[in-house]
Amino acid sequence: MVNSRQIEAFSEVALHLHLTVVTDAFGDSAIPMLKELLTYVGRLYHRLPEDVYRGQIVVVKSLDDSPVADGGLLYGSPDAVALPQSGRVMFQTFSNGAVRVWSSLDSIDLSKLAQSAIVYTFDQGKDTFFAGSRQATMLKLVAQAFSSNFGVPRFHSLKDALEDYRLRTARHTGCKILEKIWFDSNRIFFIPKPESLMRDSLVQFLNNVLGSEAQVRPEQNVNETEPVDIFIHWYMSQHLALIEVKWMGKSHNGVKITTEYGEARANHGAKQLADYLDENYRTAPLHAARAYLIVFDARRANTAADTRTISRPDGLKFENREITFQPAYHVDRLDFEVPLRFFCEPKCDA
Amino acid sequence: MANVADVHLFAYLSCLLFVYNGFPAGDWGYSFAGTSLGAPFGADLQDCLGAASMADLLRQDADRFLELTAAGTGELSFLQGLNSCEERIAYLEAAAATLLSMPTGLVKIAIGREPTLRPALALRVSRKLIESPAVELLYEQFRSLTAVIGSGRDLLIPATVWLTYLNQEAPTPNG
C-alpha cells in the first residue's frame, strides 16, 4: 500500500528538484553532467559569496562539452578565474576542468542554451534550473533568505554564526519559519508564544552552518524544571553551548494584546542561563559549557491593540536601545557570552 | 572532509538506499543503532575506524577531520576490488553525492527524522535501526517514493527527493 499524502509531498518535492528537471529533459544519463555542474557551483561559491552578490550568476554544462556561445574568456582551471563583484555573469564548466566566462550576456538566450545544456541561475536568493523545455526554481532548504542551497556554510564559530543570523535573518525576517512569528504583516506585534518558532528557526540555521562539526538540539534538559532552548555539543569534544531564547515587545491574539515583555524578561533569561550553567557543572563537571542569551526585540513605541501601521520614529525607537543587565553575568563570569539582542525591524509607513 | 560522525551518517544513508532497492538490511554487512542524540552509529564500523587508525591507514587532522594516509589509499583501492565490498560502492557513492545538493547539516536533520531513527531521539534512548516496528513506516515511505519517481532510477534521485522531503517534515519535540 502507498500513502497518498506522502505521494503528494514527494511529487511536490520532485517538481522543484534540479535532478528531476534535468532527467525529465535529458534522461538519467545526464546526471554525471549535473554532478559536474554542481561540483563547480560548490567550488565557485567557496570564492564568490553568492548571498551578497549583486546580479545574476549563470552556470552552464553542455551535454556534449562544446562551447555554448561565442566569445568569453577561457581559463585552464576554475581557481584561475577572475571573479566579478556584480552584474550578470555566465560560467561554462568543461569536463577537463577548464572554465569559460562571459561577463556580457545581452545576446545570450538561456532557454535556447537549455536545449542542449543544463543551465543553472542564482538570482535574488533563488536557485533555478533550465533543461530542455523544463524549468524549476528549487525549494529553499537553507534558513538564510539570500543564500543559495548550494552555498557554503562560512562559520567556524558559534558567535560568528549568531551575528550573521542577527544581521541577515532576524533583522528583516529572512526565513520562512520566522515569518510565522508575526501577528501582522507590518511586523508590529508577535503572535502569542512565538518562542518555539524563534527557536526552530535558529536550530535550523545553526544545524545548517555547524552541522558537520556539532550536534544542535532544541529543548534539552539541564535541570528538572525547564529545558534550555538550544543545546550544542561539538563532536569528539567536551565543548557545550547552552542558548536561551527570549523576546521583548508585545504579542497579539487578534482580539487584544496578550503579553508585553521588556528588559525584565531579558534579565530573567540571563538568570535562567546562569542557573543552567551552575547545574551543568554539577551534573557534567568535565564539560566546558558556554552560555548565550538571544533576545528577539520587537519593541515599538505608541502601539495599542488596534495599531496596524507604524511610523518610522515609533517603529525604530528601540533599534539602538541596548538592555541593561543586572546582574551582568557576561561581565562577572567567563563562561557567559555578551547577550545578543536581535532587533526585528517593522515595515514602517513611507 | 568528514569526521567520524559523518562516516556513520553516510554509511547509514547508504544502507537505507540498499533497503530502498529491495534488499534486506541484514545483507548490508553491518548493523546500526540510533543514539539518544538522534544519530546513527555502527559498532562494527567504529571498530574498523579504530583499527584503521591503529594501522596508520587513517588519521585525524587538527580539526578532527579524517584523512586517508598513502597506505590507506592503497588499502582502499584493494578493498574496492573485492566482491564482498563491490556491491556497496554504488550506494556509498549515491549517499555521498547528496552533498552536492545540500550541506551535511541538512542530511543529518533529515536522517534524524527517518522513521526508525526518529523514536531514538524522541524517547532519548538508543535502539537498533531498521528493525523496530517503525520499519513498516520506512517501507511505506519507500513505496510512495518509488510510485512518484519510478523504479530503476539513478539512486541519487530517490536519495535527494527523500532527504528533501524529510527536511520539510515537522520536527519531533526534541528535534
Side-chain angles (χ1 to χ4, degrees), chain B residues 56-131:
Chain B
D56 200 27
L57 302 174
L58 197 62
R59 65 168 164 252
Q60 282 194 346
D61 69 12
D63 294 320
R64 294 187 295 277
F65 287 115
L66 298 171
E67 56 188 2
L68 282 176
T69 61
T73 305
E75 181 72 7
L76 176 65
S77 166
F78 166 72
L79 290 172
Q80 282 175 326
L82 296 180
N83 283 341
S84 57
C85 299
E86 205 174 8
E87 197 180 16
R88 288 198 288 256
I89 293 174
Y91 298 97
L92 291 162
E93 283 179 349
T98 60
L99 285 178
L100 290 171
S101 301
M102 61 185 77
T104 314
L106 291 187
V107 176
K108 196 178 70 180
I109 292 174
I111 291 299
R113 294 176 184 168
E114 173 275 300
T116 69
L117 183 52
R118 197 173 180 128
L121 177 61
L123 304 171
R124 304 259 171 79
V125 291
S126 297
R127 56 191 289 158
K128 271 203 140 185
L129 297 176
I130 328 183
E131 274 198 3

Side-chain angles (χ1 to χ4, degrees), chain A residues 1-11 13-14 17-20 23-24 28 31-32 35 38-39 138-142 149-151 153 199-200 203-204 207-208 210-221 231 233-237, chain B residues 1 3-6 35 37-39 46 60 64-65 93-94 97 100-106 108-109 112 121 124 137 139-145 147-149 152-154 156-157 160-162 164-169 171-175:
Chain A
M1 258 190 39
V2 291
N3 176 322
S4 57
R5 186 189 61 81
Q6 272 172 9
I7 288 189
E8 203 174 304
F10 283 133
S11 301
V13 169
L17 200 67
H18 51 345
L19 278 154
T20 45
T23 55
D24 284 355
D28 285 12
I31 288 181
K35 284 183 182 174
L38 295 176
T39 302
M138 292 184 74
L139 299 170
K140 203 92 189 141
L141 291 177
V142 295
N149 282 339
F150 308 107
R199 182 201 63 204
D200 289 348
V203 167
Q204 191 204 45
N207 251 314
N208 187 24
L210 301 173
S212 64
E213 50 194 273
Q215 286 270 358
V216 182
R217 293 292 175 207
E219 295 227 318
Q220 297 290 307
N221 284 320
F231 177 93
H233 180 197
W234 276 263
Y235 295 124
M236 315 293 280
S237 82
Chain B
M1 301 285 275
N3 58 32
V4 171
D6 293 339
T35 70
L37 282 175
Q46 184 64 22
Q60 282 194 346
R64 294 187 295 277
F65 287 115
E93 283 179 349
L100 290 171
S101 301
M102 61 185 77
T104 314
L106 291 187
K108 196 178 70 180
I109 292 174
L121 177 61
R124 304 259 171 79
L137 297 172
Y139 292 150
E140 184 183 63
Q141 287 189 357
F142 285 171
R143 282 193 296 271
S144 301
L145 192 52
V148 170
I149 62 169
R153 304 293 304 271
D154 187 297
L156 186 56
I157 300 173
T160 310
V161 171
W162 187 50
T164 306
Y165 162 82
L166 290 172
N167 258 305
Q168 292 174 345
E169 277 212 309
T172 61
N174 296 312

